[in-house]
Amino acid sequence: NLYTKRRRGYVLYQVAKAMRISGKFCVDEIIMLTGADKSLVYRFVKECLSKGLLEIQAKLPSSHKKGCWINIYRVTDSDRFKKEAL
């Protein structure tokens, strides 16, 4: 469906913009800000990590689940991120 493809492109744009503006974030914050699907955000983060646009800055223990950890990501270079991800 053409509408869903356009919608997905717009959501990815919003996700990338939220990541760039936040600078330091966890995936749940990006989901809360954009309303995007969790799997879409995780896939985009994985892609950005492989390109070197993001790096894992810290791993914090989850307050909701015992034994789980939350990754805190950081945009490595804002200008490069803007060119390649947006």
Side-chain angles (χ1 to χ4, degrees), residues 50-81:
S50 67
K51 289 181 179 178
L53 299 173
L54 295 176
E55 66 180 17
I56 298 173
Q57 185 170 13
K59 290 187 177 193
L60 300 175
S62 174
S63 60
H64 301 295
K65 293 182 184 176
K66 195 170 186 175
C68 290
W69 295 82
I70 297 173
N71 289 335
I72 305 297
Y73 300 97
R74 185 177 71 86
V75 175
T76 52
D77 183 13
S78 184
D79 293 331
R80 183 171 164 233
F81 189 85

Side-chain angles (χ1 to χ4, degrees), residues 14-82:
Q14 283 184 320
V15 166
K17 191 173 178 183
M19 286 178 180
R20 182 172 172 262
I21 290 170
S22 297
K24 191 169 65 171
F25 59 89
C26 70
V27 171
D28 291 338
E29 290 173 354
I30 301 299
I31 292 168
M32 184 184 66
L33 287 170
T34 62
D37 186 44
K38 189 175 188 176
S39 63
L40 181 75
V41 176
Y42 272 110
R43 195 170 41 214
F44 189 68
V45 165
K46 189 176 177 183
E47 185 182 319
C48 289
L49 280 170
S50 67
K51 289 181 179 178
L53 299 173
L54 295 176
E55 66 180 17
I56 298 173
Q57 185 170 13
K59 290 187 177 193
L60 300 175
S62 174
S63 60
H64 301 295
K65 293 182 184 176
K66 195 170 186 175
C68 290
W69 295 82
I70 297 173
N71 289 335
I72 305 297
Y73 300 97
R74 185 177 71 86
V75 175
T76 52
D77 183 13
S78 184
D79 293 331
R80 183 171 164 233
F81 189 85
K82 185 177 181 180

